[in-house]
Amino acid sequence: MSSPLLSLEDVSKHYPVAAGRGRRGTRGHVRAVDGVSLDILPSETFALVGESGSGKSTLGRAALRLIDVTSGAVRFDGRDVTGLRGAALRRVRPSMQAVFQDPLGSLNPRLTAGAIVAEPLAVLGGLRGSELDDRVDELFRSVGLDPSRRASRPRALSGGQRQRVSIARAIALRPRLVLADEAVSALDVSVQAQIVNLFADLRESMGLAYLFIGHGLPVVRHIAQRVGVMYLGRMVETGAVDEVFDDPRHPYTRALIAASPVPDPRVARERIVLGGEPPSPVHLPSGCRFRTRCPIARDVCAREAPPIVRLSPTRSVECHLAA
Ligand code: ADP
Ligand code: MG
């Protein structure tokens, strides 16, 4: 196995919350991410799935050092980048780029698509004149946009075209890792497939690795090699996509799969319905944090935090009952 491109070691991100009105003293913490370890290999796509609020975006932002971690270590290409700041952090930024869900929110509406893509090339890449011009054209073509689109502003483009512009900007400085946080979730299904295929093509041609966050399990299965399932800040199951989706071992993973639309209705499936809402990430249940919604919970689940059970070198499940 080659050495990881990105390595997260026991990473936590806790947000302080103010005490309620009329109450003094102790503030609680939202444990958005709570002790997660994960490696991504060069040219690998690792997907994160889990309900809204499970900590996927926080983990992605921590991995790219867009936010500081509360504890734990972030290593990129063998280097500890956990505490980098200022100029040192700016130097690693080009290698780790992000594409988010809403390109309208993340693209400057006043700039043309061409200027948006040219910006990192000029500011950080130092390109000028015809060299810059040619590279912008090349990037437009590599994301499937006609260079004549350079003159359009974000509002004049379709959702799919806008996401292509975001991707062109993200890959402009030849990153090694791209965070795609719900990057296809807001698009029509047919456009989703095109953008997912574009991600896959770029992985092939540029050797990109992805941290791909998405809620659609069929899309995740299509694009990723490995998947991590998050619940309330913990990664409760991880493994190769086929292993995890064909033979889920964590009761939460089973519930997620059962709740996902079935592409082939002839495939019978064990229905497990998740009861209730997830507990507050400020007041977590004792023991296993999934136990309050778990259909198979026993006494031990309330008493003790579950062990991380390693089923194979690449597969682990955090559950008392998974061994
Ligand atoms: P996901 O991407 O899986 O929906 P997030 O990482 O966005 O989850 O959020 C995880 C938890 O952390 C949620 O409870 C969310 O409300 C909380 N959270 C996220 N960002 C902040 C923040 N800046 N301040 C306080 N709480 C936050
Ligand atoms: Mg999110």
Side-chain angles (χ1 to χ4, degrees):
M1 215 158 95
S2 54
S3 49
L5 177 65
L6 175 78
S7 181
L8 303 180
E9 216 176 279
D10 203 16
V11 164
S12 294
K13 179 67 182 181
H14 296 175
Y15 291 106
V17 283
R21 263 204 304 157
R23 299 191 18 221
R24 291 191 302 123
T26 45
R27 298 152 70 102
H29 283 89
V30 176
R31 290 194 258 167
V33 172
D34 207 20
V36 171
S37 298
L38 115 86
D39 285 344
I40 300 180
L41 300 177
S43 307
E44 182 182 40
T45 301
F46 188 99
L48 288 176
V49 299
E51 284 166 297
S52 170
S54 58
K56 305 179 299 295
S57 294
T58 304
L59 188 63
R61 286 174 159 85
L64 262 68
R65 286 300 331 279
L66 297 171
I67 53 173
D68 288 331
V69 301
T70 305
S71 61
V74 181
R75 261 182 274 282
F76 185 75
D77 207 13
R79 176 168 178 221
D80 190 337
V81 299
T82 319
L84 290 191
R85 318 213 155 266
L89 185 55
R90 281 197 296 278
R91 274 196 294 279
V92 300
R93 285 256 181 264
S95 304
M96 344 158 81
Q97 291 288 310
V99 179
F100 294 103
Q101 174 166 8
D102 171 24
L104 259 192
S106 59
L107 300 177
N108 185 337
R110 283 183 294 274
L111 295 182
T112 63
I116 287 166
V117 175
E119 194 172 39
L121 292 167
V123 175
L124 295 167
L127 296 190
R128 296 280 178 277
S130 64
E131 216 185 344
L132 176 60
D133 225 41
D134 292 349
R135 178 79 179 121
V136 173
D137 276 359
E138 186 192 340
L139 281 163
F140 269 62
R141 288 195 203 94
S142 65
V143 299
L145 283 174
D146 192 286
S148 68
R149 280 301 186 185
R150 285 176 61 163
S152 309
R153 280 171 222 281
R155 264 188 206 291
L157 299 172
S158 70
Q161 288 170 333
R162 278 198 289 268
Q163 207 52 299
R164 289 177 195 273
V165 172
S166 306
I167 295 168
R169 180 179 59 176
I171 64 171
L173 296 169
R174 304 184 200 280
R176 306 204 44 214
L177 175 71
V178 169
L179 165 67
D181 189 350
E182 309 276 4
V184 301
S185 303
L187 302 171
D188 293 342
V189 175
S190 62
V191 184
Q192 265 189 15
Q194 292 167 15
I195 301 294
V196 164
N197 289 336
L198 173 60
F199 279 132
D201 291 346
L202 293 171
R203 172 172 168 252
E204 191 94 341
S205 61
M206 300 180 65
L208 279 179
Y210 293 102
L211 180 53
F212 186 92
I213 297 175
H215 52 223
L217 301 193
V219 169
V220 164
R221 187 169 188 151
H222 180 69
I223 195 171
Q225 287 81 57
R226 286 193 300 139
V227 59
V229 180
M230 291 199 62
Y231 186 78
L232 278 181
R234 295 286 300 179
M235 193 170 296
V236 297
E237 175 156 12
T238 181
V241 280
D242 290 343
E243 291 176 318
V244 171
F245 289 151
D246 289 340
D247 181 24
R249 297 295 186 87
H250 196 286
Y252 178 62
T253 313
R254 290 194 195 128
L256 265 190
I257 291 172
S260 155
V262 190
D264 181 351
R266 289 166 303 181
V267 179
R269 194 179 267 168
E270 188 188 357
R271 292 302 289 185
I272 302 168
V273 179
L274 264 188
E277 293 288 304
S280 151
V282 183
H283 304 286
L284 293 168
S286 64
C288 172
R289 55 191 77 185
F290 184 57
R291 68 162 169 93
T292 55
R293 299 167 81 197
C294 181
I296 58 170
R298 303 197 193 145
D299 291 349
V300 65
C301 305
R303 277 198 319 268
E304 291 167 30
I308 296 178
V309 181
R310 296 217 178 279
L311 301 169
S312 80
T314 54
R315 184 105 202 262
S316 65
V317 184
E318 190 172 62
C319 178
H320 284 293
L321 307 171

